[in-house]
Amino acid sequence: MAQVLDSSSVNFQMDPVVLDLGQRFVDAGFELSLVGGPVRDLFLGRVSPDLDFTTDATPDQTLSIIKRWADNFWEIGRAFGTIGMKKSGFQIEITTYRAEAYDTDSRKPAVAFGSSLLEDLLRRDFTINAMALRLPSLELVDPFGGVRDLHASVLATPGAPEASFSDDPLRMMRAARFAAQLGVAVHDDVRLAMSGMAERIKIISAERVREELVKLINGAHPRAGIDLLVDTGLAEFVLPEVSALRLEADEHHRHKDVYQHSLQVLEQAASLETGPDGPVPGPDFVLRFAALMHDVGKPATRRFEPGGAVSFRHHDMVGSKLTAKRMKALRFDNDTIKAVARLVELHMRFYGYGDAGWTDSAVRRYVADAGPLLERLHRLTRSDVTTRNQRKAERLSFAYDDLEQRIEVLAEQESLNAIRPDLDGAQIMALLGLKPGPVVGRAYKFLLEERMESGPLSQEEAESKLLAWWSGQPESAIELSSEPAVDAKTGTAEPEES
């Protein structure tokens, strides 16, 4: 039987929109309750911009009630009993009481509408999300001890966790996500069920897994979420490259393994994020995920050297490829994949600066290679220092301070954010009498290298260097440049100008 509590003991700050909607359903002869995350967030002192409701009204009956009331509405989830709408800045979803379960090999839920609030709450993922506020009376319905578990910071399921995870295996990912977002521990039977059913996550679409992973990484305690995935075996199917890190010994022998080092780097990177007006507003998924994945190339590159040393040569390049491959499998967009993989590729670039120092040319290349990722690369590189040797940590920090200062000085003198040759393509063709083609590209690349090495040149200096380079080109290149240009659209040679 559901336990009904008087909400007067809790300071609920309810927007009039919610109460108005509840009254409209009651006046029409139906029940309406605020349910799930928004109710949980009330106890956590948070305001949810997205409001979820449940009702005994069918989708058609819900539409008849809200059509003239909502600012706008949509029926995308109608087949699953959900009607969405916007009202006074709130995004609202109203779902008919239901029970849903997955077939053994299906990725899509089989939906059956229910008839009671208690039945609806029983099918929900965790007790902290299985609470409801009846509207407009504000009676709190908590049949499975959600308030108790919130106070205890424990994640438990309304029924047997095996039944819950069988109904929707994505709930195992959600458990790890809530551990990361709320800092809660999972109940022992939940952890045991996750371990025993981890392989069932394979029936869930990559897109749904990805969304939970992003929320986990962006949580306040991402380390706790990743640890849960790895400890229960879920990571073997979602992020196997991270699980593999537990097998590798860190080359500095300062960490239990590279896995723990990577989690520390993730935490340190998150701590270096900025506010909304800073260069890397947090939470920043690209920075955090790059921090987690930065060493995933080590298992494949580990070598035992004479004398007992361990090396991981080129693990940055290997790790970049592994990261991109995993993100593609999780259906991330191309821009995010490229950004994370590039950071993984560049995370070792700084090492050696403190010992040998860099020329201005090397600094320019560092900035140019990082491009728009430079501020994230600064933070990733600093976060990668987890040594317990205080003198070494201070030396690396000082060296990176020096590098950032040199970048600032050069940036004041040059346009480091957009390094270009001192002559553009049109000027190159005019000076050398060339038509568009690969020779122009080689000339452009030559001038770009000169720009990196020497800094900004005057037009006269750039022209002189280009002519000197051109005079040393083989005859075949000069002959190729005299061939008629080819039109990119038609594939035919363009006529010479008369």
Side-chain angles (χ1 to χ4, degrees), residues 355-370:
D355 297 326
W358 284 358
T359 63
D360 285 351
S361 172
V363 175
R364 292 187 193 100
R365 292 178 192 280
Y366 187 77
V367 174
D369 288 346

Side-chain angles (χ1 to χ4, degrees), residues 89-334:
F90 288 101
Q91 182 158 309
I92 295 170
E93 287 190 348
I94 302 176
T95 302
T96 303
Y97 295 154
R98 69 189 188 192
E100 64 183 27
Y102 276 73
D103 294 330
T104 304
D105 299 316
S106 173
R107 292 183 176 184
K108 296 182 179 180
V111 177
F113 294 151
S115 58
S116 72
L117 177 59
L118 179 60
E119 181 184 11
D120 185 84
L121 295 178
L122 177 61
R123 74 166 182 82
R124 293 183 178 267
D125 54 4
F126 303 106
T127 58
I128 62 174
N129 294 328
M131 300 183 288
L133 275 180
R134 291 188 185 276
L135 300 171
S137 64
L138 293 183
E139 288 181 312
L140 177 65
V141 182
D142 181 18
F144 307 109
V147 173
R148 174 202 63 212
D149 290 343
L150 265 182
H151 285 307
S153 294
V154 172
L155 204 62
T157 53
E162 293 83 2
S164 179
F165 298 155
S166 180
D167 282 349
D168 186 353
L170 188 69
R171 289 173 175 175
M172 295 185 288
M173 286 291 300
R174 285 171 62 82
R177 187 247 288 186
F178 284 126
Q181 287 183 327
L182 305 178
V184 297
V186 296
H187 196 280
D188 288 344
D189 61 356
V190 171
R191 182 183 291 270
L192 187 62
M194 291 173 67
S195 298
M197 303 177 67
E199 188 172 5
R200 189 158 162 74
I201 197 67
K202 292 195 298 186
I203 74 168
I204 302 298
S205 70
E207 290 81 2
R208 294 185 72 203
V209 171
R210 179 198 66 217
E211 291 306 309
E212 290 298 326
L213 180 62
V214 170
K215 292 175 183 177
L216 184 162
I217 295 296
N218 285 344
H221 313 278
R223 182 174 192 152
I226 294 297
D227 254 339
L228 185 56
L229 290 181
V230 172
D231 289 347
T232 58
L234 270 169
E236 294 289 345
F237 306 99
V238 177
L239 286 175
E241 297 83 3
V242 174
S243 293
L245 293 175
R246 292 182 299 172
L247 305 177
E248 302 308 314
D250 184 83
E251 70 266 38
H252 303 300
H253 303 285
R254 296 299 189 182
H255 300 278
K256 181 178 180 181
D257 51 34
V258 178
Y259 171 68
Q260 292 297 331
H261 162 74
S262 297
L263 293 184
Q264 187 175 347
V265 175
L266 168 59
E267 286 186 319
Q268 292 180 173
S271 72
L272 294 178
E273 293 168 341
T274 66
D277 297 327
V280 186
D284 187 271
F285 175 79
V286 169
L287 171 61
R288 293 185 181 202
F289 199 56
L292 176 65
M293 303 292 282
H294 77 285
D295 274 348
V296 296
K298 284 189 172 181
T301 58
R302 182 173 64 166
R303 298 291 182 270
F304 294 98
E305 306 292 346
V310 180
S311 68
F312 302 94
R313 293 187 179 89
H314 307 301
H315 77 271
D316 44 356
M317 302 298 294
V318 173
S320 178
K321 293 178 180 179
L322 289 174
T323 298
K325 183 178 180 180
R326 176 55 47 196
M327 294 182 74
K328 288 176 183 176
L330 290 169
R331 304 291 193 272
F332 278 92
D333 64 276
N334 288 335

